[in-house]
Amino acid sequence: ALMPVELNPVELNPVELNPVELNPAALKPAALPIGFPASAPPDTLSWDDIPWVGVEQALDAGALSTRRILIYVHAPWCPYCRRMNTELLNDPDVQSAIKAYFSPVRINTESQDSVRYFEYGMTEREFAGALRNESLPTLYFMSPEGEVFAHQPGLLPREDLLKLLHYVGSGAFEE
């Protein structure tokens, strides 16, 4: 049975997965899994085409598989979040990597919508606070068991974001 994991700010270290500091040879974009569908043209996709799920659903899926959880923390007023939504999260390669590797969750820091983290109920805004979120946008990487093991604040260039998603999603960071 899954046990709740206390969100600990000590475990959230953006330096560990900062693509600028990683070995470039280790960050060649990995091929997507065999049989993964080809991408649609970029002008036909939006960030809503990503199969976003709630925290509880992502944890349930993690209990049945080894899929890591990607949590995208954003706000509607944030200009860098809007750029992330329209320049990166609508990109076919970014969407393919997210769909291939992660159970994606989006958290709006302004939302009062309910979030369930194990037996704890809270709003999206409170969940962002529990993550100790300090900047927008931020990507959090969570194990299938619900433990946040890294985060990446800020708007990354497309190629760096793809390298980061493949690096974390493929488990290369554990080697």
Side-chain angles (χ1 to χ4, degrees):
L2 291 177
M3 299 299 296
V5 177
E6 185 175 326
L7 301 177
N8 184 345
V10 175
E11 296 171 9
L12 306 177
N13 186 351
V15 177
E16 289 178 23
L17 294 178
N18 187 334
V20 175
E21 297 177 14
L22 297 173
N23 176 357
L27 291 178
K28 286 193 299 189
L32 289 174
I34 294 173
F36 199 77
S39 300
D43 58 346
T44 63
L45 296 175
S46 87
W47 74 311
D48 288 320
D49 293 320
I50 295 171
W52 303 104
V53 296
V55 174
E56 185 173 28
Q57 292 87 349
L59 290 168
D60 288 346
L64 302 173
S65 73
T66 59
R67 286 179 78 80
R68 291 175 184 83
I69 300 166
L70 172 71
I71 300 175
Y72 169 50
V73 178
H74 67 98
W77 52 262
C78 166
Y80 293 104
C81 300
R82 284 194 297 270
R83 285 187 57 199
M84 179 93 158
N85 300 346
T86 60
E87 296 174 21
L88 296 172
L89 294 178
N90 69 335
D91 181 278
D93 296 328
V94 171
Q95 285 198 10
S96 291
I98 290 171
K99 291 173 186 176
Y101 295 122
F102 300 99
S103 292
V105 174
R106 60 181 165 190
I107 297 293
N108 176 349
T109 60
E110 301 297 313
S111 176
Q112 295 300 314
D113 290 347
S114 296
V115 169
R116 195 105 190 114
Y117 178 76
F118 296 102
E119 72 269 15
Y120 303 101
M122 61 195 88
T123 65
E124 288 187 26
R125 180 184 195 119
E126 292 167 336
F127 186 70
L131 291 170
R132 309 263 195 273
N133 188 74
E134 295 181 353
S135 65
L136 296 171
T138 298
L139 297 175
Y140 289 88
F141 297 96
M142 186 180 275
S143 71
E145 296 78 32
E147 179 181 341
V148 175
F149 59 86
H151 75 284
Q152 177 63 57
L155 180 69
L156 295 175
R158 178 186 179 276
E159 290 305 313
D160 290 344
L161 176 59
L162 283 170
K163 289 174 185 175
L164 178 64
L165 292 171
H166 287 296
Y167 184 70
V168 175
S170 69
F173 71 96
E174 296 176 318
E175 296 171 6

